[in-house]
Amino acid sequence: MKPAFRKLNLTAHVSSSVGWLGAVVGFLALSIAGLASKEPDIVRAAYLAMNLMGQFIIVPLSLAALLTGLVQSLGTHWGLFRHYWVLMKFLLTVGATILLLLHQFVAVASAARRVSATAVGTLPDVGRLGAQLVGDAGLAVLVLLVTTTLSVYKPWGLTRYG
């Protein structure tokens, strides 16, 4: 990979990865507000905002991070299968992205539909989805922090293909 393209791709990868982490932290804050608040307008706004944030920020950033990370690993000396940390980071990112897509288009969309169907001024009830969204977002933050840590520390050395 030419140096200019490598730097452009690395910039896109770091930006999308950091953006993904930041957006998930924002999602976590909204999910806690939606679960804890007794104000109907706050609960409604939190779940609707989470749906929009997931569809238009988190999902695109996760896909961008996955794609740019794959390009970076295949186009540089790091390789996808040469170092354990790169392989682990890739597997965690693939898993997180798949779970995110399922989460977004099932749980988050369902919670948004439920609050939309509730009469204005009435406290929306999303059932157990509220606690699930908090837990899922917390786990997502943890996984993204692990991938970030792997990028910084680069542990474990070479694989047998390295």
Side-chain angles (χ1 to χ4, degrees):
M1 190 176 346
K2 292 187 178 183
F5 181 72
R6 182 188 60 77
K7 289 179 182 179
L8 177 65
N9 187 70
L10 180 60
T11 302
H13 180 64
V14 171
S15 299
S16 59
S17 298
V18 169
W20 183 12
L21 175 59
V24 172
V25 169
F27 185 99
L28 176 59
L30 287 171
S31 64
I32 291 169
L35 181 65
S37 180
K38 299 300 179 204
E39 293 292 325
D41 291 339
I42 291 175
V43 174
R44 177 183 303 283
Y47 288 106
L48 294 176
M50 283 189 289
N51 192 38
L52 291 172
M53 185 180 246
Q55 286 180 356
F56 298 110
I57 300 171
I58 298 174
V59 168
L61 286 174
S62 71
L63 295 172
L66 180 61
L67 178 65
T68 57
L70 188 59
V71 169
Q72 197 70 17
S73 69
L74 295 175
T76 65
H77 69 282
W78 293 108
L80 184 58
F81 300 107
R82 291 190 65 212
H83 298 269
Y84 284 110
W85 70 271
V86 175
L87 182 58
M88 181 58 67
K89 187 176 167 190
F90 177 70
L91 293 174
L92 286 170
T93 303
V94 167
T97 301
I98 290 168
L99 290 174
L100 166 65
L101 292 170
L102 290 171
H103 179 259
Q104 175 60 42
F105 296 110
V106 176
V108 180
S110 176
R113 279 191 303 275
R114 285 186 186 185
V115 299
S116 293
T118 304
V120 174
T122 304
L123 185 64
D125 179 24
V126 295
R128 294 190 318 207
L129 277 176
Q132 178 188 341
L133 293 175
V134 171
D136 291 349
L139 288 174
V141 168
L142 180 63
V143 168
L144 294 173
L145 288 173
V146 167
T147 61
T148 301
T149 303
L150 289 173
S151 296
V152 172
Y153 287 94
K154 299 172 179 50
W156 305 317
L158 296 172
T159 67
R160 64 182 179 151
Y161 301 106

